[in-house]
Amino acid sequence: MKECFIMVKDKKLKTKLFCLLVIGLISCSTVPTDGQSSCAGKCGYQVSQCSCQVTCEPLGECCTDYWNFCLRISPQSGTLMGGEDFVIVNNTFEAGRDHIVCRFKKSIVTQGYVDDKKVAHCISPLLYENGRIPFELSTDNGTSYNHQGTWVSVHHSKFSNARKSTLLNQTKWQYYGTPGVSGTLTLLWNTTLLPAQLLNIELWGYKENGTPYSDSWRGEWTYLYSLGIAVRNNGEFTFTPKPAPKPYFEWELGMLRLTDKKEEDGEMNVRALWSPSHALAWHLEEAFRRDSAAWAKEKCLNWVKYEKTLPDFLSEIADCPCTLAQSRADTGRFHPDYGCDIEQGSVCTYHPGAVHCVRAVQASPRYGSGQQCCYDAEGRQILTVDSMGGSTPDRGHDWGSPPYEKPPRVPGFSHGLYDVISFYYCCLWSDNCQQYTDLRPSSDCRTYCPPKVGSAFGDPHLFTFDGANFTFNGMGEYTLVKGEGNSSTGILQVQGRTEQVKDSEATNANVTGITAVAMQESDSDVIEVRISKNLSDGSMEVLVNAEIVTFNEQSWMDLKGVFVYSATPQHATVMFPSGAGVDAWGSGTILSIAILLPEAFINQTEGLFGVMNNHLDDDFTFRNGSSLPADASPEMLYELGASWAIENKSSLFTYDSQFLLDNYWHAPKHDADFTPVFHVSDNPADPLHAEMTALCQGNEFCRFDTLVTKNLQMGNATKLSYENYRMLVESLEPVTSCGILEEPNNGKKKGNIYLVGFTVNFTCDQGYMLYGSPMHTCLPTGQWSGESVFCVSENILGIVLGTLLAVFSLLLTGLILCLNERRLKK
């Protein structure tokens, strides 16, 4: 081994290099002699001589050992059940020298290893939460942890099916033991996901123990027993289920785990392949197979008794949107249910008649409960009072809710115990669904209030929350909206950055567009969405606390105080606890954005998107509080926009390139030297005029952007963005609901739409007479016309009428006798 010294550009940075000459090649590893210039245990921080922050690489400021201690991994995510083998991609290790131990959240330890290619591996642990999990790596068997990285824990049902084993004919697995369902079951898997010749196949079950809604309440996954030992890893395992003995059949929710045969039975946190979570009908006790309906009915009734001892969560969940259009447009508060998504073919197994369901993004504040809303092909809400396909609220939010880990907030599994297994008891394994829907009734939409929309697109054309519009084509960084929905969620800030449009065909045209938007609510993670500089197809980058994150492994991210969804590189949705939502779309080299705010933000907003209060006269308000009239000139509106320039100390943006540093961090936040184009005129002699006219068809925003940029593509993108904005506003128009009308006892109703203008008709069964109004109409006031309906038995009616007649006869007789006595006295 040969010791050598190499000069570096930074004279303050003294680095000692050990170089080894092997077969004519020199392999060097850096070992900084100055602890102040090392990233050991300091990832994410600025040290005195250099940087260990995520922005250091593009800025060329990294400490020399940055990639040695600040880790990149592949894959970056896995199921929260653990067992994923991920590798360190930016480093090499020695098998004999480095003893790898991986530690998650400072407390959960798993054993790693170094392979024959000098690549270090970690095994992800079982976690009871979603989101970005910090982990550390030790090379000295756990004595010190100086290497740091981030692991992403994913909801098991949202985790890619390609990286799980498959239950062949899953319905058969979950109905096994009911009448007509027997025989063998088959498990399938991709053999490359678990490189071992022989496998063990285990059953694990989930329970939650302790007093509900107390500190003792805990969820736990437990190894139960093995279905197969030393099974050949050929991708298929078939078996004939047998009833499990006590106490194993007491676990009714679970999944299968495949591990290398060399692992101990039930060993925690080893490399594994999991099946989907499912109802364990196939392993239940013998009594279930003898009479599954009776067994399930007893379970259903016991669940009803137990459920009535728990707190009422229904009163704190939000009402559903009234229409399918509203549910799809309100992206800040509702998101498609992956079990019934119109974009995925409307496979709505548990909601017959529905084409789309959504779930409330946020769980209820106190009990962590969830809301579900389902809609038919006509866009109307389906309710359990009318249909088995109706939506049902959940005691445990299906997606879990922060801070996770404890019931009923454990992602997927709390919901499985309190809302899914009970559905099997009452609705699927027995015919007692009314018992279930009585305790899980659909919510109507009487109190639903759609959000208000602010939008910006093109050479920025802005629409305020109250619907005023203006063009502000300044260059800089500005406050789009700042406000507080309620004290519990804190202040929301959304900032926008504009740049000069680079693909303009007009010579030196001073045209700008939004290229980045950054946002935060209270102390949440800071989210930035920006146009990718490497592509011109509208692809975007999403940054979390200045770090670029990718969505190539999953489309949903659970973060601190915020959720982010991105199914394509050209679109991202950001959702905050207040119900605020930000949608960003990439088009060419600029962004179009829409900000949705719920009614809690009324009179609480400021910025370029105005004061949200249903009044247009204060939408053009300067930072100092003064306002412009609705007919203000473009030049006056330009001054208005300039007043909302941010400052470095309040900026949420990341400056990770020399361009951003020079033009935004070290430069004024509003470029006063930039003079935009305020007015354009039509020139019929212009060769572009005819094409522009045909394209824009009277759309003023399309016309302006086409003429100012001399670019039809820019004009078309603006036109589409405006049409999308109009469609969004129309979808979120308020709809009046009069609330659910139930069938009277011993009667029927015709009509199950409870919105303004619709009618519901009532009739009584044979032998009963109707009292009240046979037809009710939903009025614009939100009230039903007519009187309440009752169906009274004709026999009972006869008895009542006979009794009344007898009483009347007695009274009449008494009156006659009284009058006769008076006459005799006279």
Side-chain angles (χ1 to χ4, degrees), residues 696-730:
C696 298
Q697 298 181 350
N699 184 311
E700 180 60 26
F701 307 107
C702 171
R703 185 192 75 86
F704 182 93
D705 287 3
T706 301
L707 293 178
V708 78
T709 64
K710 306 297 184 184
N711 188 322
L712 288 168
Q713 289 183 333
M714 178 79 171
N716 187 55
T718 297
K719 177 186 175 184
L720 293 176
S721 295
Y722 173 70
E723 291 172 351
N724 287 337
Y725 164 74
R726 291 304 314 162
M727 185 181 301
L728 187 60
V729 171
E730 291 170 6

mmCIF file of all heavy atoms in Angstrom, residues 696-730:
data_model
loop_
_atom_site.group_PDB
_atom_site.id
_atom_site.type_symbol
_atom_site.label_atom_id
_atom_site.label_comp_id
_atom_site.label_asym_id
_atom_site.label_seq_id
_atom_site.Cartn_x
_atom_site.Cartn_y
_atom_site.Cartn_z
ATOM 1 N N CYS A 696 -57.561 29.820 -31.930
ATOM 2 C CA CYS A 696 -58.048 30.405 -30.679
ATOM 3 C C CYS A 696 -59.564 30.545 -30.632
ATOM 4 O O CYS A 696 -60.160 30.499 -29.546
ATOM 5 C CB CYS A 696 -57.380 31.757 -30.450
ATOM 6 S SG CYS A 696 -55.576 31.637 -30.265
ATOM 7 N N GLN A 697 -60.194 30.755 -31.770
ATOM 8 C CA GLN A 697 -61.656 30.828 -31.834
ATOM 9 C C GLN A 697 -62.233 31.770 -30.775
ATOM 10 O O GLN A 697 -63.161 31.431 -30.039
ATOM 11 C CB GLN A 697 -62.266 29.427 -31.681
ATOM 12 C CG GLN A 697 -61.855 28.481 -32.789
ATOM 13 C CD GLN A 697 -62.471 27.110 -32.649
ATOM 14 O OE1 GLN A 697 -63.076 26.794 -31.631
ATOM 15 N NE2 GLN A 697 -62.334 26.278 -33.667
ATOM 16 N N GLY A 698 -61.649 32.964 -30.699
ATOM 17 C CA GLY A 698 -62.169 33.974 -29.793
ATOM 18 C C GLY A 698 -61.608 33.937 -28.388
ATOM 19 O O GLY A 698 -61.938 34.801 -27.569
ATOM 20 N N ASN A 699 -60.751 32.977 -28.084
ATOM 21 C CA ASN A 699 -60.142 32.905 -26.751
ATOM 22 C C ASN A 699 -59.062 33.980 -26.656
ATOM 23 O O ASN A 699 -58.031 33.898 -27.313
ATOM 24 C CB ASN A 699 -59.547 31.507 -26.538
ATOM 25 C CG ASN A 699 -58.977 31.324 -25.142
ATOM 26 O OD1 ASN A 699 -58.217 32.143 -24.659
ATOM 27 N ND2 ASN A 699 -59.358 30.226 -24.511
ATOM 28 N N GLU A 700 -59.294 35.006 -25.832
ATOM 29 C CA GLU A 700 -58.401 36.154 -25.763
ATOM 30 C C GLU A 700 -57.023 35.775 -25.227
ATOM 31 O O GLU A 700 -56.004 36.334 -25.651
ATOM 32 C CB GLU A 700 -59.028 37.239 -24.877
ATOM 33 C CG GLU A 700 -58.185 38.492 -24.714
ATOM 34 C CD GLU A 700 -57.904 39.196 -26.029
ATOM 35 O OE1 GLU A 700 -58.713 39.048 -26.973
ATOM 36 O OE2 GLU A 700 -56.878 39.885 -26.116
ATOM 37 N N PHE A 701 -56.970 34.834 -24.292
ATOM 38 C CA PHE A 701 -55.683 34.438 -23.712
ATOM 39 C C PHE A 701 -54.836 33.699 -24.747
ATOM 40 O O PHE A 701 -53.628 33.908 -24.846
ATOM 41 C CB PHE A 701 -55.902 33.559 -22.484
ATOM 42 C CG PHE A 701 -56.830 34.183 -21.478
ATOM 43 C CD1 PHE A 701 -58.118 33.706 -21.310
ATOM 44 C CD2 PHE A 701 -56.417 35.258 -20.715
ATOM 45 C CE1 PHE A 701 -58.978 34.279 -20.395
ATOM 46 C CE2 PHE A 701 -57.272 35.839 -19.789
ATOM 47 C CZ PHE A 701 -58.565 35.362 -19.641
ATOM 48 N N CYS A 702 -55.475 32.848 -25.518
ATOM 49 C CA CYS A 702 -54.792 32.139 -26.602
ATOM 50 C C CYS A 702 -54.286 33.136 -27.638
ATOM 51 O O CYS A 702 -53.145 33.037 -28.113
ATOM 52 C CB CYS A 702 -55.756 31.135 -27.233
ATOM 53 S SG CYS A 702 -55.176 30.351 -28.749
ATOM 54 N N ARG A 703 -55.124 34.123 -27.988
ATOM 55 C CA ARG A 703 -54.733 35.123 -28.978
ATOM 56 C C ARG A 703 -53.511 35.904 -28.506
ATOM 57 O O ARG A 703 -52.538 36.085 -29.251
ATOM 58 C CB ARG A 703 -55.897 36.088 -29.229
ATOM 59 C CG ARG A 703 -55.635 37.114 -30.331
ATOM 60 C CD ARG A 703 -56.697 38.213 -30.325
ATOM 61 N NE ARG A 703 -56.484 39.124 -29.214
ATOM 62 C CZ ARG A 703 -55.674 40.188 -29.257
ATOM 63 N NH1 ARG A 703 -55.001 40.466 -30.360
ATOM 64 N NH2 ARG A 703 -55.538 40.977 -28.208
ATOM 65 N N PHE A 704 -53.550 36.374 -27.258
ATOM 66 C CA PHE A 704 -52.449 37.179 -26.725
ATOM 67 C C PHE A 704 -51.144 36.389 -26.755
ATOM 68 O O PHE A 704 -50.113 36.878 -27.244
ATOM 69 C CB PHE A 704 -52.782 37.602 -25.293
ATOM 70 C CG PHE A 704 -51.736 38.479 -24.649
ATOM 71 C CD1 PHE A 704 -51.836 39.858 -24.719
ATOM 72 C CD2 PHE A 704 -50.658 37.928 -23.975
ATOM 73 C CE1 PHE A 704 -50.876 40.674 -24.137
ATOM 74 C CE2 PHE A 704 -49.691 38.723 -23.392
ATOM 75 C CZ PHE A 704 -49.803 40.107 -23.469
ATOM 76 N N ASP A 705 -51.173 35.153 -26.248
ATOM 77 C CA ASP A 705 -49.935 34.376 -26.139
ATOM 78 C C ASP A 705 -49.403 33.958 -27.506
ATOM 79 O O ASP A 705 -48.191 33.875 -27.715
ATOM 80 C CB ASP A 705 -50.161 33.143 -25.262
ATOM 81 C CG ASP A 705 -50.282 33.515 -23.800
ATOM 82 O OD1 ASP A 705 -50.256 34.721 -23.488
ATOM 83 O OD2 ASP A 705 -50.416 32.604 -22.950
ATOM 84 N N THR A 706 -50.304 33.688 -28.437
ATOM 85 C CA THR A 706 -49.852 33.323 -29.790
ATOM 86 C C THR A 706 -49.168 34.503 -30.461
ATOM 87 O O THR A 706 -48.087 34.361 -31.055
ATOM 88 C CB THR A 706 -51.037 32.850 -30.642
ATOM 89 O OG1 THR A 706 -51.658 31.725 -30.022
ATOM 90 C CG2 THR A 706 -50.561 32.445 -32.035
ATOM 91 N N LEU A 707 -49.777 35.670 -30.352
ATOM 92 C CA LEU A 707 -49.228 36.833 -31.031
ATOM 93 C C LEU A 707 -47.937 37.322 -30.379
ATOM 94 O O LEU A 707 -47.005 37.749 -31.063
ATOM 95 C CB LEU A 707 -50.264 37.966 -31.057
ATOM 96 C CG LEU A 707 -51.502 37.704 -31.915
ATOM 97 C CD1 LEU A 707 -52.476 38.865 -31.817
ATOM 98 C CD2 LEU A 707 -51.098 37.485 -33.381
ATOM 99 N N VAL A 708 -47.875 37.258 -29.052
ATOM 100 C CA VAL A 708 -46.703 37.804 -28.384
ATOM 101 C C VAL A 708 -45.500 36.872 -28.501
ATOM 102 O O VAL A 708 -44.351 37.300 -28.486
ATOM 103 C CB VAL A 708 -47.021 38.120 -26.909
ATOM 104 C CG1 VAL A 708 -47.026 36.868 -26.061
ATOM 105 C CG2 VAL A 708 -46.031 39.137 -26.352
ATOM 106 N N THR A 709 -45.761 35.572 -28.641
ATOM 107 C CA THR A 709 -44.659 34.610 -28.757
ATOM 108 C C THR A 709 -44.409 34.164 -30.191
ATOM 109 O O THR A 709 -43.389 33.522 -30.468
ATOM 110 C CB THR A 709 -44.951 33.346 -27.921
ATOM 111 O OG1 THR A 709 -46.111 32.686 -28.446
ATOM 112 C CG2 THR A 709 -45.148 33.683 -26.459
ATOM 113 N N LYS A 710 -45.371 34.477 -31.085
ATOM 114 C CA LYS A 710 -45.295 33.992 -32.465
ATOM 115 C C LYS A 710 -45.230 32.459 -32.489
ATOM 116 O O LYS A 710 -44.590 31.861 -33.348
ATOM 117 C CB LYS A 710 -44.065 34.555 -33.201
ATOM 118 C CG LYS A 710 -43.953 36.063 -33.177
ATOM 119 C CD LYS A 710 -45.116 36.735 -33.885
ATOM 120 C CE LYS A 710 -44.937 38.249 -33.932
ATOM 121 N NZ LYS A 710 -46.119 38.912 -34.530
ATOM 122 N N ASN A 711 -45.932 31.845 -31.555
ATOM 123 C CA ASN A 711 -45.820 30.395 -31.371
ATOM 124 C C ASN A 711 -47.216 29.811 -31.172
ATOM 125 O O ASN A 711 -47.869 30.063 -30.149
ATOM 126 C CB ASN A 711 -44.929 30.093 -30.166
ATOM 127 C CG ASN A 711 -44.602 28.622 -30.028
ATOM 128 O OD1 ASN A 711 -45.437 27.764 -30.270
ATOM 129 N ND2 ASN A 711 -43.380 28.320 -29.636
ATOM 130 N N LEU A 712 -47.676 29.028 -32.146
ATOM 131 C CA LEU A 712 -49.009 28.424 -32.052
ATOM 132 C C LEU A 712 -49.086 27.388 -30.934
ATOM 133 O O LEU A 712 -50.142 27.211 -30.309
ATOM 134 C CB LEU A 712 -49.387 27.780 -33.390
ATOM 135 C CG LEU A 712 -49.718 28.748 -34.536
ATOM 136 C CD1 LEU A 712 -49.779 28.011 -35.865
ATOM 137 C CD2 LEU A 712 -51.048 29.456 -34.253
ATOM 138 N N GLN A 713 -47.981 26.699 -30.687
ATOM 139 C CA GLN A 713 -47.994 25.700 -29.604
ATOM 140 C C GLN A 713 -48.221 26.360 -28.259
ATOM 141 O O GLN A 713 -48.962 25.845 -27.422
ATOM 142 C CB GLN A 713 -46.683 24.913 -29.607
ATOM 143 C CG GLN A 713 -46.539 23.953 -30.771
ATOM 144 C CD GLN A 713 -45.257 23.136 -30.685
ATOM 145 O OE1 GLN A 713 -44.269 23.574 -30.097
ATOM 146 N NE2 GLN A 713 -45.276 21.958 -31.279
ATOM 147 N N MET A 714 -47.589 27.503 -28.049
ATOM 148 C CA MET A 714 -47.796 28.245 -26.811
ATOM 149 C C MET A 714 -49.255 28.684 -26.697
ATOM 150 O O MET A 714 -49.886 28.564 -25.650
ATOM 151 C CB MET A 714 -46.870 29.461 -26.785
ATOM 152 C CG MET A 714 -47.022 30.346 -25.565
ATOM 153 S SD MET A 714 -46.180 29.674 -24.127
ATOM 154 C CE MET A 714 -46.342 31.068 -22.998
ATOM 155 N N GLY A 715 -49.795 29.190 -27.799
ATOM 156 C CA GLY A 715 -51.195 29.604 -27.784
ATOM 157 C C GLY A 715 -52.134 28.452 -27.507
ATOM 158 O O GLY A 715 -53.108 28.586 -26.758
ATOM 159 N N ASN A 716 -51.855 27.311 -28.109
ATOM 160 C CA ASN A 716 -52.708 26.138 -27.898
ATOM 161 C C ASN A 716 -52.631 25.658 -26.453
ATOM 162 O O ASN A 716 -53.650 25.274 -25.857
ATOM 163 C CB ASN A 716 -52.297 25.016 -28.849
ATOM 164 C CG ASN A 716 -53.235 23.837 -28.793
ATOM 165 O OD1 ASN A 716 -54.439 23.984 -28.972
ATOM 166 N ND2 ASN A 716 -52.692 22.656 -28.523
ATOM 167 N N ALA A 717 -51.422 25.667 -25.859
ATOM 168 C CA ALA A 717 -51.279 25.264 -24.465
ATOM 169 C C ALA A 717 -52.067 26.190 -23.554
ATOM 170 O O ALA A 717 -52.719 25.749 -22.599
ATOM 171 C CB ALA A 717 -49.805 25.247 -24.075
ATOM 172 N N THR A 718 -52.044 27.484 -23.848
ATOM 173 C CA THR A 718 -52.812 28.452 -23.064
ATOM 174 C C THR A 718 -54.306 28.202 -23.209
ATOM 175 O O THR A 718 -55.071 28.247 -22.230
ATOM 176 C CB THR A 718 -52.462 29.882 -23.499
ATOM 177 O OG1 THR A 718 -51.094 30.125 -23.215
ATOM 178 C CG2 THR A 718 -53.322 30.902 -22.788
ATOM 179 N N LYS A 719 -54.732 27.927 -24.432
ATOM 180 C CA LYS A 719 -56.152 27.647 -24.673
ATOM 181 C C LYS A 719 -56.616 26.430 -23.874
ATOM 182 O O LYS A 719 -57.667 26.456 -23.212
ATOM 183 C CB LYS A 719 -56.383 27.406 -26.165
ATOM 184 C CG LYS A 719 -57.811 27.023 -26.537
ATOM 185 C CD LYS A 719 -57.907 26.674 -28.013
ATOM 186 C CE LYS A 719 -59.301 26.170 -28.363
ATOM 187 N NZ LYS A 719 -59.392 25.722 -29.778
ATOM 188 N N LEU A 720 -55.826 25.362 -23.917
ATOM 189 C CA LEU A 720 -56.192 24.144 -23.179
ATOM 190 C C LEU A 720 -56.213 24.396 -21.668
ATOM 191 O O LEU A 720 -57.091 23.898 -20.961
ATOM 192 C CB LEU A 720 -55.217 23.023 -23.518
ATOM 193 C CG LEU A 720 -55.262 22.497 -24.962
ATOM 194 C CD1 LEU A 720 -54.166 21.461 -25.181
ATOM 195 C CD2 LEU A 720 -56.638 21.888 -25.264
ATOM 196 N N SER A 721 -55.247 25.178 -21.188
ATOM 197 C CA SER A 721 -55.204 25.469 -19.760
ATOM 198 C C SER A 721 -56.426 26.276 -19.336
ATOM 199 O O SER A 721 -57.001 26.032 -18.265
ATOM 200 C CB SER A 721 -53.921 26.230 -19.410
ATOM 201 O OG SER A 721 -52.779 25.429 -19.624
ATOM 202 N N TYR A 722 -56.826 27.236 -20.165
ATOM 203 C CA TYR A 722 -58.018 28.017 -19.844
ATOM 204 C C TYR A 722 -59.270 27.129 -19.847
ATOM 205 O O TYR A 722 -60.123 27.237 -18.953
ATOM 206 C CB TYR A 722 -58.190 29.160 -20.843
ATOM 207 C CG TYR A 722 -59.495 29.907 -20.660
ATOM 208 C CD1 TYR A 722 -59.702 30.710 -19.552
ATOM 209 C CD2 TYR A 722 -60.520 29.779 -21.594
ATOM 210 C CE1 TYR A 722 -60.900 31.384 -19.365
ATOM 211 C CE2 TYR A 722 -61.726 30.455 -21.425
ATOM 212 C CZ TYR A 722 -61.916 31.251 -20.308
ATOM 213 O OH TYR A 722 -63.098 31.906 -20.119
ATOM 214 N N GLU A 723 -59.366 26.251 -20.838
ATOM 215 C CA GLU A 723 -60.527 25.351 -20.889
ATOM 216 C C GLU A 723 -60.553 24.431 -19.680
ATOM 217 O O GLU A 723 -61.628 24.135 -19.123
ATOM 218 C CB GLU A 723 -60.492 24.548 -22.188
ATOM 219 C CG GLU A 723 -60.762 25.398 -23.429
ATOM 220 C CD GLU A 723 -60.545 24.633 -24.724
ATOM 221 O OE1 GLU A 723 -60.010 23.495 -24.660
ATOM 222 O OE2 GLU A 723 -60.900 25.166 -25.789
ATOM 223 N N ASN A 724 -59.387 23.960 -19.249
ATOM 224 C CA ASN A 724 -59.338 23.126 -18.047
ATOM 225 C C ASN A 724 -59.771 23.915 -16.821
ATOM 226 O O ASN A 724 -60.462 23.384 -15.943
ATOM 227 C CB ASN A 724 -57.916 22.591 -17.840
ATOM 228 C CG ASN A 724 -57.565 21.504 -18.835
ATOM 229 O OD1 ASN A 724 -58.442 20.854 -19.394
ATOM 230 N ND2 ASN A 724 -56.279 21.301 -19.065
ATOM 231 N N TYR A 725 -59.369 25.171 -16.755
ATOM 232 C CA TYR A 725 -59.789 26.010 -15.625
ATOM 233 C C TYR A 725 -61.302 26.179 -15.620
ATOM 234 O O TYR A 725 -61.950 26.047 -14.574
ATOM 235 C CB TYR A 725 -59.099 27.374 -15.711
ATOM 236 C CG TYR A 725 -59.743 28.422 -14.829
ATOM 237 C CD1 TYR A 725 -59.572 28.404 -13.446
ATOM 238 C CD2 TYR A 725 -60.550 29.421 -15.387
ATOM 239 C CE1 TYR A 725 -60.186 29.348 -12.632
ATOM 240 C CE2 TYR A 725 -61.163 30.369 -14.584
ATOM 241 C CZ TYR A 725 -60.980 30.335 -13.209
ATOM 242 O OH TYR A 725 -61.597 31.261 -12.410
ATOM 243 N N ARG A 726 -61.886 26.469 -16.786
ATOM 244 C CA ARG A 726 -63.339 26.646 -16.851
ATOM 245 C C ARG A 726 -64.068 25.362 -16.461
ATOM 246 O O ARG A 726 -65.068 25.394 -15.744
ATOM 247 C CB ARG A 726 -63.756 27.056 -18.280
ATOM 248 C CG ARG A 726 -63.316 28.436 -18.707
ATOM 249 C CD ARG A 726 -63.791 29.524 -17.769
ATOM 250 N NE ARG A 726 -65.195 29.378 -17.424
ATOM 251 C CZ ARG A 726 -65.757 29.963 -16.373
ATOM 252 N NH1 ARG A 726 -65.022 30.698 -15.553
ATOM 253 N NH2 ARG A 726 -67.045 29.817 -16.122
ATOM 254 N N MET A 727 -63.550 24.229 -16.926
ATOM 255 C CA MET A 727 -64.169 22.946 -16.577
ATOM 256 C C MET A 727 -64.081 22.697 -15.070
ATOM 257 O O MET A 727 -65.027 22.199 -14.455
ATOM 258 C CB MET A 727 -63.485 21.817 -17.347
ATOM 259 C CG MET A 727 -64.130 20.444 -17.162
ATOM 260 S SD MET A 727 -63.259 19.159 -18.083
ATOM 261 C CE MET A 727 -63.403 19.809 -19.758
ATOM 262 N N LEU A 728 -62.946 23.063 -14.472
ATOM 263 C CA LEU A 728 -62.770 22.882 -13.032
ATOM 264 C C LEU A 728 -63.763 23.737 -12.260
ATOM 265 O O LEU A 728 -64.410 23.269 -11.310
ATOM 266 C CB LEU A 728 -61.336 23.244 -12.651
ATOM 267 C CG LEU A 728 -60.881 22.979 -11.214
ATOM 268 C CD1 LEU A 728 -60.987 21.496 -10.876
ATOM 269 C CD2 LEU A 728 -59.447 23.463 -11.021
ATOM 270 N N VAL A 729 -63.914 24.984 -12.661
ATOM 271 C CA VAL A 729 -64.855 25.883 -11.989
ATOM 272 C C VAL A 729 -66.286 25.378 -12.136
ATOM 273 O O VAL A 729 -67.075 25.376 -11.171
ATOM 274 C CB VAL A 729 -64.716 27.317 -12.547
ATOM 275 C CG1 VAL A 729 -65.830 28.210 -12.016
ATOM 276 C CG2 VAL A 729 -63.355 27.893 -12.173
ATOM 277 N N GLU A 730 -66.644 24.925 -13.328
ATOM 278 C CA GLU A 730 -67.998 24.408 -13.552
ATOM 279 C C GLU A 730 -68.248 23.145 -12.735
ATOM 280 O O GLU A 730 -69.345 22.956 -12.189
ATOM 281 C CB GLU A 730 -68.211 24.122 -15.042
ATOM 282 C CG GLU A 730 -68.269 25.376 -15.905
ATOM 283 C CD GLU A 730 -68.237 25.074 -17.388
ATOM 284 O OE1 GLU A 730 -68.290 23.859 -17.741
ATOM 285 O OE2 GLU A 730 -68.145 26.019 -18.199
#
